Amino acid sequence: MLDPAQLFRLETDTTSHDLRASTMVVALGGFIDAGFAQKLMSQHILGTLEHTVVASFDLDQLLDYRGRRPVMTFDRDRFSEYDDPSLVLYRVIDAEGTPFLLLTGPEPDYQWERVAEATRMLASMFGVSLMVSAHGIPMAVPHTRPIGFTRYASNQRYLTENEPLFGNVQIPASAEGLLHIRLAEAGIDTAGFAVHVPHYLVQVEYGDAAIAALECVTGLTGLAIPAQELAAIAGLHRADIAKQVGENDEVTEVVSGLEQQYDTFTEGRRRRSLLAAEMNELPSADEIGEELEQFLRSGSDENEDTPGGERGTAHHADDSDDSDGSPNRPQAD
C-alpha cells in the first residue's frame, strides 16, 4: 500500500489538538442513497452550521472521471466553469457549540483500503471516538406511513432495543461500509442507519428521509443540529409526491397495497411484542420451583402440628383394620 498520509492535505495551520472532536459523521454516498437522504442531510448541515475545511483528499488518485463525468459550463463560445469534485473533512460547530467532523464527497472508485487507513489517521489525529453515518435504502413501504430504519453498530451498546429486519445477508460493498469495518478494527466505535425509502421514490429527493437520517444521527450522538429548514423542504417534497400520486391511478393502487402490507406487518410485530411482554411477566422455572418447595414445606409444617404428630392421615398405620383386612381404610358411620 502506498503511504496513506500522501492521500490527504491538512488545510489549516491550527494544531490538530485544538481541532479535536469526538464524533465524525461520514457521507460518501456509496453505491446507493435512496431518496438522496444522505446528500440532503449533509447539504443541510453545511448550509446551517458554522464550518471550516480541515483536510482534503487528492481525488485525482481516487476517481474514475470517465465513469461519472463532472459537470462543465459552456458559455456561448468558451468553457467558463468546471465543477471539480472534492472529498473534504470539515470541522462543524453545532447549535450548542459542540464541534464534530463531517467527511463528505463522492465515493472513491479506487484505493479503498488506502482511503480507510487515511481516514483512520485523520480520526486519530483529531481525537475521534465515534464514527456515524446514515443513508437511504429502497424498501417496499408507503410514503404515507412513518419512516423506519435499520440500525447497525460495532458496539452493542448502540443497539439497545434493536429489532433487526434482516438476517445474515451479502450485499454489494461500499467504501463507507469498509470504513465501518476498518475503524472498528482500530478501536473506534462505529454506528450507522439505513433509512427505509419507498422504492418508487428512490430517484427523487425525499426530504422526509433526510429528516429521519438527521434524527438518527442526532439521537445517537446528542449533537444539536436544527432541522427547521430541512423540514420546510420536506414539506414541499411531500406535497409534490401527494399531487403526483393522486394523478396516477396505478401508483395510487400500488401505494394502497403497500399500506395494507405495512399495517399487517406492523400489527404482527406489535402482537409479538405484547406476547413477549406477557411471557416476561410469567415466573421463571426457578421461581416456580421455589414456590412449590415453599408450598410443600408449609404443608408439611401444618401436618406436623396435628394431634399425635400425624403426617397427612386421619388414622395411624397401627390403628385397627377393617373387616376386609385393609389398613387405614376410613370407617363408615
Side-chain angles (χ1 to χ4, degrees), residues 221-234:
T221 63
L223 294 172
I225 305 176
Q228 291 89 338
E229 294 181 14
L230 190 56
I233 294 173

Side-chain angles (χ1 to χ4, degrees), residues 181-318:
I181 294 175
R182 295 294 181 248
L183 266 62
E185 291 173 347
I188 298 173
D189 286 342
T190 70
F193 303 88
V195 177
H196 303 165
V197 176
H199 59 81
Y200 50 88
L201 299 177
V202 168
Q203 298 298 330
V204 301
E205 291 188 348
Y206 186 36
D208 282 339
I211 290 177
L214 184 64
E215 289 177 345
C216 285
V217 170
T218 56
L220 180 74
T221 63
L223 294 172
I225 305 176
Q228 291 89 338
E229 294 181 14
L230 190 56
I233 294 173
L236 296 176
H237 292 169
R238 201 178 307 119
D240 187 49
I241 292 168
K243 181 176 181 294
Q244 294 189 43
V245 170
E247 294 174 349
N248 191 313
D249 293 339
E250 183 177 345
V251 175
T252 299
E253 185 176 348
V254 169
V255 173
S256 178
L258 290 173
E259 288 174 340
Q260 295 178 24
Q261 177 178 300
Y262 179 95
D263 293 342
T264 300
F265 176 77
T266 302
E267 178 63 17
R269 295 191 72 178
R270 187 186 70 82
R271 290 181 177 179
R272 287 196 298 273
S273 297
L274 288 175
L275 178 59
E278 291 174 358
M279 293 297 291
N280 287 334
E281 292 175 359
L282 293 176
S284 66
D286 291 340
E287 291 172 336
I288 293 175
E290 184 178 348
E291 289 288 340
L292 180 58
E293 290 178 3
Q294 291 179 358
F295 173 77
L296 292 176
R297 284 197 299 269
S298 63
S300 174
D301 293 341
E302 290 175 0
N303 287 331
E304 289 177 353
D305 290 339
T306 59
E310 298 167 352
R311 301 176 59 86
T313 58
H315 299 274
H316 195 273
D318 293 336

